[in-house]
Amino acid sequence: MLEVGSRRRNQPAPPHVLFEALTAPDRDPARPWLRLLDDERCPRVIEAVAPDLVVWSSLWNRRPEAQIRFELPGDRSGYGTDLRWVLLVDEPQPDASLLGHLRRRINELINADLRYSLGQ
């Protein structure tokens, strides 16, 4: 698979909290964060190694082979997580417009919606 996007950003929540949120995104109905668009579908957890790694199946019907890998190392403070997401796809690589959309959606879901649902 090709790595076609990634981003690392600190999250104030510790790795075990993010691991739980990523492996069961609908676990807390009072704090929903995985709000999908019409062209998206709920991902399946393909791989999970607590509390360091989660791999999702594709969110997109247009790229059903895509995977999103979440690396969850603790940060230097010992309280947060230096979360890194990596978007992986099979050949052919998406065109620039679609690739921008896929990257933006992951970033919105993880670095905005998930983050805000945890009160940060």
Side-chain angles (χ1 to χ4, degrees):
M1 297 191 95
L2 301 172
E3 180 178 320
V4 294
S6 72
R7 179 149 191 209
R8 182 181 311 272
R9 184 160 181 204
N10 183 267
Q11 300 270 351
H16 74 275
V17 171
L18 292 171
F19 179 86
E20 290 175 18
L22 291 168
T23 55
D26 57 353
R27 79 185 197 299
D28 187 353
R31 295 191 290 180
W33 64 270
L34 188 62
R35 295 184 185 99
L36 301 174
L37 300 178
D38 291 339
D39 67 335
E40 297 172 342
R41 61 186 181 192
C42 194
R44 289 178 299 103
V45 174
I46 296 172
E47 182 179 356
V49 180
D52 304 312
L53 174 73
V54 177
V55 180
W56 278 0
S57 66
S58 181
L59 290 169
W60 305 281
N61 294 322
R62 289 189 282 179
R63 292 305 297 235
E65 86 296 348
Q67 294 181 4
I68 306 165
R69 178 183 176 92
F70 300 98
E71 299 166 0
L72 307 168
D75 67 8
R76 290 182 185 170
S77 75
Y79 299 103
T81 305
D82 285 332
L83 185 149
R84 177 178 183 239
W85 60 258
V86 178
L87 176 59
L88 303 161
V89 298
D90 286 340
E91 298 258 0
Q93 182 169 321
D95 63 47
S97 175
L98 178 57
L99 187 54
H101 170 71
L102 302 179
R103 290 174 179 161
R104 185 179 69 250
R105 278 301 290 157
I106 299 169
N107 200 51
E108 288 171 355
L109 290 169
I110 302 306
N111 293 319
D113 299 346
L114 173 58
R115 182 184 194 98
Y116 299 147
S117 78
L118 297 172
Q120 289 125 24

